[in-house]
Amino acid sequence: MQLSKFKLALLIGGPVLLIILVAAGYFIYSGISEQQDENRKKVEGFGEMVIPTDSGPGNPATDPKLAPSIGQNSLSPTQRVISNMKNERVKLLDEAIEMREQITSLKAKVAELELYRTTNERYAPHSFNEEVSKVHTRMKQLLVSQDEARRFTSIQIKGMAAASAQEYRRYLTSRKLLLDPDQIDTVITNHLPVYAYCIGDGMDIAANDRSEEQMVIEYFKTEKTELMGSRLKSDLKAIIAPCQELFAQRMSYLSN
């Protein structure tokens, strides 16, 4: 039985056509593979430009905090770029939080320094000495004008006024108090006179003669004790302590 020309053509041309199709498919596949490799290289190069993987503070290989939870080798180039960007974002957020904490801390330090500056200005030698000098002058005027002070000599009143100014300086400085003019008026009118009379009554006990009395008054003016004997120093300390305690009790409302 003879084959028809059509069937004969199929038998002969089929394998040839198959070979041609296979060869064409191979070349097409090779071209596609080469194109994919080229695209992959471009994407990886882009990732290297955006987030270098071999240097810099954001390198996951050198920074354990930025190490991904899955291996980089299992990620596609695009996924690696996204992962690195996310890690960089987390790092920047952490740095922002740290900077805000530092700013808060610096603000607190600035406020503390401002208070320190204000306090130092308040107790600067010139301004505070002026205030103490005015207190001293006002206390002398007040004591001279009061009938209760008539039992003291003019020398003793000067010592009492000096002692009051000395205690005013010591008390405010030790407690870092800032008094406004109304508060100063109240202290001079209501509290320092009590201290002054306490000191005046004690001077007669501590000083045995006019010479020692002069040394006590000089102490209240200058705080110098070089010329005093040990007995007078001890007696002076004994009379001052209860007067200071009484004054502190009356002034305690300023610290509450």
Side-chain angles (χ1 to χ4, degrees):
M1 181 177 178
Q2 292 184 350
L3 296 173
S4 66
K5 291 182 179 180
F6 178 74
K7 290 182 178 179
L8 181 61
L10 286 177
L11 288 175
I12 296 173
V16 175
L17 180 61
L18 181 61
I19 292 172
I20 293 173
L21 290 175
V22 170
Y26 173 78
F27 287 115
I28 293 172
Y29 174 78
S30 297
I32 293 174
S33 296
E34 289 176 359
Q35 185 63 42
Q36 286 181 337
D37 290 339
E38 184 178 352
N39 291 341
R40 184 181 297 109
K41 290 179 181 179
K42 289 180 179 179
V43 172
E44 289 175 345
F46 174 76
E48 291 291 329
M49 287 187 293
V50 175
I51 305 174
T53 57
D54 57 349
S55 64
N59 184 6
T62 58
D63 192 346
K65 294 181 180 179
L66 300 179
S69 58
I70 58 177
Q72 287 287 345
N73 292 333
S74 64
L75 299 176
S76 69
T78 302
Q79 288 175 325
R80 284 200 294 271
V81 171
I82 294 173
S83 176
N84 287 338
M85 286 182 173
K86 286 182 178 179
N87 290 331
E88 279 294 318
R89 181 175 179 274
V90 170
K91 181 182 177 183
L92 290 174
L93 289 174
D94 289 341
E95 290 178 352
I97 292 173
E98 183 178 352
M99 289 183 67
R100 282 197 293 269
E101 291 176 350
Q102 291 177 354
I103 290 172
T104 301
S105 176
L106 288 173
K107 285 182 177 179
K109 289 181 179 179
V110 168
E112 183 180 348
L113 290 173
E114 183 65 22
L115 176 61
Y116 179 78
R117 182 186 65 82
T118 303
T119 303
N120 278 355
E121 287 179 354
R122 169 66 175 75
Y123 290 105
H126 178 69
S127 60
F128 192 51
N129 283 344
E130 270 190 2
E131 183 176 321
V132 173
S133 178
K134 290 179 181 179
V135 169
H136 185 190
T137 300
R138 291 181 61 182
M139 282 302 300
K140 281 193 293 186
Q141 295 171 347
L142 179 65
L143 291 174
V144 169
S145 67
Q146 293 180 335
D147 293 339
E148 187 177 353
R150 290 179 180 176
R151 71 178 189 269
F152 300 105
T153 66
S154 61
I155 298 297
Q156 289 174 329
I157 289 176
K158 289 180 181 178
M160 292 159 60
S164 300
Q166 182 190 83
E167 180 60 15
Y168 180 87
R169 179 195 297 275
R170 185 198 69 82
Y171 186 86
L172 266 66
T173 302
S174 65
R175 289 163 176 79
K176 301 296 183 185
L177 291 176
L178 303 174
L179 303 186
D180 58 40
D182 290 339
Q183 290 174 319
I184 295 174
D185 289 341
T186 300
V187 171
I188 292 174
T189 303
N190 298 337
H191 305 305
L192 278 178
V194 176
Y195 180 82
Y197 288 121
C198 180
I199 291 296
D201 291 334
M203 279 196 292
D204 286 337
I205 300 173
N208 291 331
D209 53 39
R210 177 62 67 85
S211 175
E212 288 188 350
E213 184 180 72
Q214 288 290 348
M215 284 188 281
V216 170
I217 293 172
E218 185 65 20
Y219 165 76
F220 288 133
K221 291 179 178 179
T222 63
E223 296 189 356
K224 293 180 180 180
T225 59
E226 290 83 355
L227 300 178
M228 291 185 183
S230 58
R231 195 273 312 164
L232 180 57
K233 289 181 182 179
S234 178
D235 289 349
L236 182 60
K237 183 177 179 179
I239 67 165
I240 290 176
C243 296
Q244 288 179 335
E245 183 177 349
L246 177 61
F247 183 68
Q249 290 174 356
R250 297 179 67 92
M251 295 284 287
S252 61
Y253 73 97
L254 292 173
S255 303
N256 294 334

